[in-house]
Amino acid sequence: MTTAIDLDAITAIDVHTHIHADDCGNLALDTELMTAAEAYFKTDTPPRPTVDELAARYRAARMAAVVFTVDAEAATGHPALPNEELAAAAAAHRDVLIPFASIDPARGIAGVRAARRLVTEFGVRGFKFHPSLQGFAPNDRSAYPLFAEIESLGVPALFHTGQTGIGAGLPGGRGIKLRYSDPMLLDDVAADFPGLTVIMAHPSVPWQDAAVSVATHKANVYIDLSGWSPKYFPAQLVRAIRGQLARKVLFGSDFPMITPERWIRDFAQLEIDPALLPNIMKDNAIRALRLR
């Protein structure tokens, strides 16, 4: 696969940004879940950028961004934003945007066929999963045909791990179960699909040690550092960034919940060896996303 992004001209690749609403104002999550997530992140006036607005922001910052939404219709009953529309909108900004799709494993064979069509016809370059929100264990064999198809397509799969702001503070967390986002479940996936690049999103609290172990053990596993201000990163994650995972961690913000500017400003306070920054901010992502 090729990319229209000038990889030498950009300063960073943000591997984790969301589209929360389409051009018509349709939300990726229902209002209750979206409001709870925005409250969790303490976003007083939360932006819900369109694809065009997100692209303009990252172009001005001389960054590229992976962009996606989440299909959790089977578990939540809320219609997903169409992958095809997001991919088509992102195609107009191939110089800065890298579109991922999201397919609920509950779609079965229809989801498998959609995955191939999205890559071959719409230029999708990876897939996003949120096991807790979608209500499935990643190592459940019912999801394996979809993972096998993604592996055969040669694109990565990015999985939410750890706690989530979606449903936070609601009675019963709106039924969302955190255990589905235990990174040890992804150890099975990485072992069973050695040709599949697995990206574990976020500091994996309360399972950070497990995430570090899986990423250290499996050559095909990376960790994206999105969703938390770096000043709150668990100590063992910071040690791994400085050490054995320096070539396995990826810059990600979780925009619009956290801006890339805030993330970069707070990350600078961790006193990471400047020699490691090119890998963390861009080069590891180029390798994980197969951009060259």
Side-chain angles (χ1 to χ4, degrees), residues 112-217:
V112 173
R113 292 174 178 169
R116 179 160 293 276
R117 185 177 67 254
L118 285 162
V119 171
T120 60
E121 298 180 20
F122 288 87
V124 161
R125 301 186 62 87
F127 291 85
K128 154 76 173 186
F129 296 95
H130 196 308
S132 291
L133 181 60
Q134 293 171 317
F136 80 103
N139 63 351
D140 190 304
R141 292 309 191 266
S142 65
Y144 272 28
L146 179 55
F147 298 159
E149 188 73 355
I150 295 171
E151 181 184 40
S152 75
L153 290 164
V155 298
L158 185 151
F159 294 82
H160 174 95
T161 66
Q163 67 187 59
T164 179
I166 300 174
L170 298 178
R174 260 286 294 273
I176 293 169
K177 297 177 180 177
L178 300 181
R179 64 183 174 88
Y180 290 142
S181 293
D182 183 338
M184 286 308 299
L185 303 179
L186 294 172
D187 186 64
D188 289 353
V189 175
D192 293 339
F193 297 95
L196 175 66
T197 296
V198 173
I199 301 172
M200 297 188 294
H202 315 311
S204 301
V205 174
W207 304 290
Q208 187 61 72
D209 288 332
V212 169
S213 294
V214 173
T216 300
H217 188 254

Side-chain angles (χ1 to χ4, degrees), residues 12-13 30 33 64 66 121 162 168 172 196 200 216 220 229 252 259-260 281 287:
I13 299 173
D30 65 57
L33 288 177
V66 172
E121 298 180 20
L196 175 66
M200 297 188 294
T216 300
N220 53 321
S229 163
T259 67
M281 300 304 296
R287 187 169 62 256

Side-chain angles (χ1 to χ4, degrees), residues 9-32:
I10 60 171
T11 62
I13 299 173
D14 186 338
V15 302
H16 200 117
T17 75
H18 288 265
I19 292 297
H20 287 155
D22 64 15
D23 291 347
C24 298
N26 299 309
L27 297 180
L29 299 172
D30 65 57
T31 301
E32 183 181 48

